[in-house]
Amino acid sequence: MKITELSLENYRNIENISLSPCEGVNIIYGENAQGKTNILEAIFLFTGLKSFRSSKDSELVMFGKDFSRIKTQFETSHRKNTSEIKITDRRRASLNGVSLKSPTELMSRFPASLFSPGFMSLIQNGPSERRKFIDSAICQIKPRYAVLLSEYTKLVKQRNAVLKDNEDIKSVRLFLDCINDAFTNLGEEIYRERKEYLDLLLPYVSEIYSGLSSGKEEISFTYLRKGCHGEESLKEIVKNHEKADINAGITLTGPHRDDIEININSVSARSFGSQGQKRSAAIALKLSEAQVIKSITGEEPVILLDDVMSELDTLRQDYILNHIKDRQVFITCCDPGSILRMSEGKTFSIKEGRLK
Ligand SMILES: Nc1ncnc2c1ncn2[C@@H]1O[C@H](COP(=O)(O)OP(=O)(O)OP(=O)(O)O)[C@@H](O)[C@H]1O
Ligand SMILES: [Mg+2]
């Protein structure tokens, strides 16, 4: 997919701009607080999702204005499209002249993959961030997985409610006996889907990470099943932890407690990685997530990279600027020096919400 035209009106600090991006790398550069991220944020809204920065739509409208309007023309493998989003206290979207019931209807129409500095929490924070990443990545390519996940989550909640209220141990055990089969079957299925996804992701992420590190470092994943010490099935793991579950009043094992360790040169990036290594790993994961989407849906997501350059050395920056081939990429950065090293592509300089 390629964006051919973009225009923003009264969008945050941007009163009115139009731009025609190129098919490859587009750099938006300027000093701090000039509107670079605002442009990426506006593009991201065409995915139909909420902004990655504001939970309130009204915050996107320029101070003192009643509404904001963003428009785009983009080409997918099937056709040329136009889309418009009008923002007041909520968003209303249209696609090819037809008003949509909800902006979420844009979701599969405008595939985009965003890296923002907030995404670093994937590497730095606890396991829940990594579970969220993998679960939402799978949901994008397998809608059925969302159903599986919500059924499983419901069972965890039920199980926890009974465990918490554990006055009568006998009836707790009776309930667990009833629910455990369904719980562990769903849990195994989630585990299998996640492993399958990691297998799908690994060749892409390896290639990108190796490119970013000039072939000096290798990335790998270890799926860590909570409470598993060898090759036990989830059924065995859960059984082995039944007493601990009852004591803790909560379900201690299952995919809702698993983690995916991201390793660089075989050691945990979270515990041992440098800033640049962690950033490279997060970028490689985002870029490869997009490649998996491409391999399944046939449509190449637009890549939005907010502030990726900081903390990366020139070799790593060069890889991003010159080796992400065949895809449309938007990169924001402060340092105009990066642009000089870009062999092909288009640059947009922004100052106080205006293109220079
Ligand atoms: N609703 C709004 N109306 C007017 N201005 C706004 C609104 N929301 C945010 N801004 C302003 O937009 C400006 C630019 O924001 P943006 O995040 O795009 O900067 P940036 O160029 O990405 O900077 P940095 O390099 O620091 O990331 C900020 O100064 C902010 O105050
Ligand atoms: Mg910014």
Side-chain angles (χ1 to χ4, degrees), residues 88-341:
T88 49
D89 53 343
R90 64 191 191 100
R91 287 166 290 133
R92 284 186 199 85
S94 69
L95 180 66
N96 301 322
V98 179
S99 300
L100 304 177
K101 276 200 208 92
S102 151
T104 52
E105 286 183 44
L106 284 168
M107 260 169 91
S108 51
R109 307 300 194 93
F110 188 96
S113 187
L114 166 90
F115 172 90
S116 78
F119 192 67
M120 289 298 295
S121 59
L122 174 78
I123 311 287
Q124 275 158 350
N125 291 13
S128 69
E129 294 286 335
R130 288 175 290 283
R131 289 193 299 264
K132 241 191 282 168
F133 167 73
I134 191 165
D135 288 340
S136 75
I138 304 172
C139 285
Q140 286 186 63
I141 53 171
K142 265 192 194 172
R144 205 189 59 83
Y145 183 76
V147 180
L148 184 65
L149 210 55
S150 91
E151 279 173 12
Y152 174 79
T153 309
K154 239 185 262 163
L155 284 190
V156 174
K157 279 198 186 133
Q158 279 180 19
R159 212 173 176 276
N160 285 348
V162 172
L163 284 165
K164 197 172 159 214
D165 184 27
N166 64 358
E167 301 287 289
D168 176 11
I169 298 290
K170 231 180 175 174
S171 64
V172 172
R173 284 192 184 279
L174 210 62
F175 172 80
L176 293 182
D177 284 343
C178 282
I179 197 179
N180 271 354
D181 271 353
F183 172 71
T184 54
N185 286 343
L186 286 173
E188 274 309 351
E189 218 174 314
I190 289 171
Y191 168 66
R192 272 198 303 274
E193 292 284 0
R194 286 180 180 173
K195 289 278 280 185
E196 200 177 291
Y197 183 78
L198 291 179
D199 289 344
L200 211 58
L201 195 68
L202 190 63
Y204 297 115
V205 83
S206 299
E207 193 195 325
I208 296 166
Y209 193 87
S210 163
L212 273 166
S213 64
S214 309
K216 293 195 189 96
E217 296 165 13
E218 194 185 40
I219 192 166
S220 58
F221 303 124
T222 316
Y223 191 100
L224 301 171
R225 293 191 96 171
K226 190 73 186 292
C228 179
H229 304 291
E231 297 287 310
E232 307 100 290
S233 66
L234 185 59
K235 209 169 182 169
E236 289 161 327
I237 299 171
V238 168
K239 203 73 211 157
N240 294 342
H241 287 79
E242 194 164 286
K243 216 167 156 194
D245 279 1
I246 292 170
N247 287 336
I250 196 161
T251 307
L252 296 166
T253 57
H256 65 293
R257 300 296 289 261
D258 292 350
D259 194 3
I260 296 137
E261 197 168 58
I262 298 159
N263 309 301
I264 296 169
N265 290 342
S266 307
V267 293
S268 154
R270 184 184 179 202
S271 311
F272 304 106
S274 74
Q275 287 298 108
Q277 283 177 321
K278 286 183 195 162
R279 189 167 274 261
S280 306
I283 295 165
L285 278 164
K286 263 289 154 193
L287 293 175
S288 47
E289 179 195 28
Q291 278 184 297
V292 170
I293 293 175
K294 159 84 198 295
S295 74
I296 288 174
T297 65
E299 203 63 66
E300 187 87 71
V302 166
I303 312 282
L304 309 172
L305 303 174
D306 190 24
D307 234 342
V308 275
M309 296 303 192
S310 45
E311 294 172 337
L312 294 187
D313 59 36
T314 48
L315 281 174
R316 288 177 199 243
Q317 291 189 359
D318 281 349
Y319 179 83
I320 292 175
L321 290 170
N322 300 316
H323 294 274
I324 308 177
K325 289 267 183 269
D326 313 321
R327 279 183 271 182
Q328 191 175 42
V329 189
F330 291 83
I331 301 175
T332 65
C333 69
C334 295
D335 170 25
S338 316
I339 296 156
L340 302 173
R341 298 199 310 276

